[in-house]
Amino acid sequence: MSNADFNHLAVFIAVAREKSFTRAAAQLGVSQSAISHSIRGLEETLGIRLLTRTTRGAVPTEAGERLLENLAPYYDGIEIELAALSELREKPGGTIRISAHDHAATTILWPKLSPLLREYPDITLEINVDYGLIDIVAGRFDAGVRMGNQIAKDMIALRISPDFRMVVVGSPAYFSSKSKPKTPHDLTSHNCANLRLSTHGGLFAWEFAKGGKVLRVQVPGQMIFNTSPQLLTAAMEGYGLAYAPENVVQKYIDEGYLIQVLDDWSPTFPGYHLYYPSRRQALPAFKLVLDALRCQG
């Protein structure tokens, strides 16, 4: 058995996961030269190359992939057990990292979790906004948020919101020169604000449902964004139509800034769920997060 330095192994895991010496150095709080020294020392000790350097970063070799796959779970377990020791302190602490897109982050995560920061000053909350269906384990997140029909079967899921509707809205100024669409097919003659999904690189199709019939429409438009707040801004400024969660736009509809159309076609989607690996339940701070987010009714 090789006498590999455990610090070198931890550095290797960080680089292999991040596929970057620069990002690994930032994550570990050390210099890139220190990262290079650790990797070089580990490879010399083991007598095998673990990483292939590229112009874009570093990619694990076959041996590196094998080492990462078999070694990383043990290091993650050690980190979790050390974090769980905070249960012996007066108040829980540590960093909780959650991946979600902006609708869930703005309407659910921040309103429900921000009070924990005042009550538990040793807790750090990191909310990462991402539209991609990322691997939270590889990304070193404690949990992620998705709609109920998108949860991987090997994860534990906790409902954190009721079901919600998506609606089409436009401003009075926009409709002063455009007729309101009566069916989803009418949207082809309107200027619509599109959302580009990072996972597939394509534009998000607007989904509609009525009488058991489901339609997915690729709408035309001059505007393409990769986050949703800009969609609403464009609609309110009269540039075109937006497809948005009803609970986000309802106040603007009530105040007359936006007009909802195609109401009878507006679909209901499964509510959001927090998903996470079972071992995360051992973290006292994470237990507080679960209790705060649990959907009541």
Side-chain angles (χ1 to χ4, degrees):
M1 168 127 181
S2 171
N3 295 317
D5 188 309
F6 284 97
N7 288 328
H8 291 348
L9 290 171
V11 169
F12 163 73
I13 291 173
V15 176
R17 279 173 161 168
E18 294 293 333
K19 293 183 172 57
S20 166
F21 280 71
T22 302
R23 290 194 295 271
Q27 179 188 115
L28 298 175
V30 299
S31 66
Q32 288 189 53
S33 61
I35 294 286
S36 297
H37 175 75
S38 290
I39 296 299
R40 185 165 55 252
L42 180 60
E43 290 179 332
E44 290 175 354
T45 299
L46 297 178
I48 192 169
R49 182 170 292 281
L50 300 172
L51 295 166
T52 299
R53 282 71 166 175
T54 70
T55 55
R56 295 186 177 182
V59 178
T61 62
E62 182 180 354
E65 288 284 5
R66 177 176 173 176
L67 183 62
L68 176 65
E69 180 180 348
N70 290 287
L71 190 67
Y74 292 102
Y75 268 79
D76 290 341
I78 291 171
E79 285 186 357
I80 289 170
E81 288 304 317
L82 291 175
L85 290 178
S86 65
E87 192 169 16
L88 301 178
R89 304 185 314 190
E90 275 189 35
K91 291 190 175 182
T95 299
I96 300 297
R97 303 182 70 232
I98 304 176
S99 174
H101 62 67
D102 47 29
H103 178 224
T106 302
T107 63
I108 301 169
L109 296 184
W110 179 247
K112 290 187 175 183
L113 296 182
S114 55
L116 292 180
L117 302 181
R118 295 187 185 277
E119 188 173 356
Y120 300 96
D122 291 332
I123 290 179
T124 298
L125 176 64
E126 179 179 343
I127 298 176
N128 184 74
V129 173
D130 194 322
Y131 280 78
L133 299 179
I134 67 168
D135 181 342
I136 60 170
V137 176
R140 299 179 66 78
F141 289 98
D142 296 285
V145 176
R146 292 182 187 169
M147 289 188 289
N149 59 350
Q150 298 177 329
I151 304 299
K153 297 212 174 2
D154 60 342
M155 293 285 170
I156 295 177
L158 172 73
R159 177 181 275 269
I160 61 174
S161 84
D163 294 348
F164 63 94
R165 287 208 315 162
M166 294 291 290
V167 299
V168 178
V169 292
S171 71
Y174 178 80
F175 286 121
S176 66
S177 59
K178 287 275 191 179
S179 59
K180 296 177 184 177
K182 292 182 172 55
T183 73
H185 295 296
D186 295 338
L187 293 171
T188 57
S189 62
H190 283 268
N191 198 12
C192 302
N194 272 296
L195 177 69
R196 187 176 297 282
L197 298 176
S198 59
T199 303
H200 304 293
L203 299 182
F204 178 72
W206 294 12
E207 188 170 315
F208 301 93
K210 182 178 181 180
K213 183 178 182 181
V214 176
L215 294 176
R216 290 173 60 84
V217 181
Q218 290 288 354
V219 296
Q222 294 177 285
M223 303 148 287
I224 301 174
F225 303 101
N226 66 346
T227 58
S228 59
Q230 291 81 8
L231 305 177
L232 186 57
T233 299
M236 291 186 65
E237 292 181 357
Y239 288 96
L241 303 182
Y243 185 74
E246 187 175 35
N247 63 341
V248 171
V249 299
Q250 189 60 57
K251 64 179 180 180
Y252 302 110
I253 295 172
D254 294 340
E255 293 170 359
Y257 295 109
L258 290 172
I259 297 172
Q260 181 182 338
V261 295
L262 298 175
D263 181 67
D264 55 337
W265 281 94
S266 296
T268 298
F269 288 91
Y272 290 118
H273 288 66
L274 187 82
Y275 66 101
Y276 55 93
S278 60
R279 64 179 183 268
R280 292 296 171 188
Q281 295 179 94
L283 299 171
F286 192 67
K287 291 178 182 177
L288 290 172
V289 167
L290 294 180
D291 290 340
L293 291 176
R294 198 179 308 274
C295 185
Q296 305 298 326

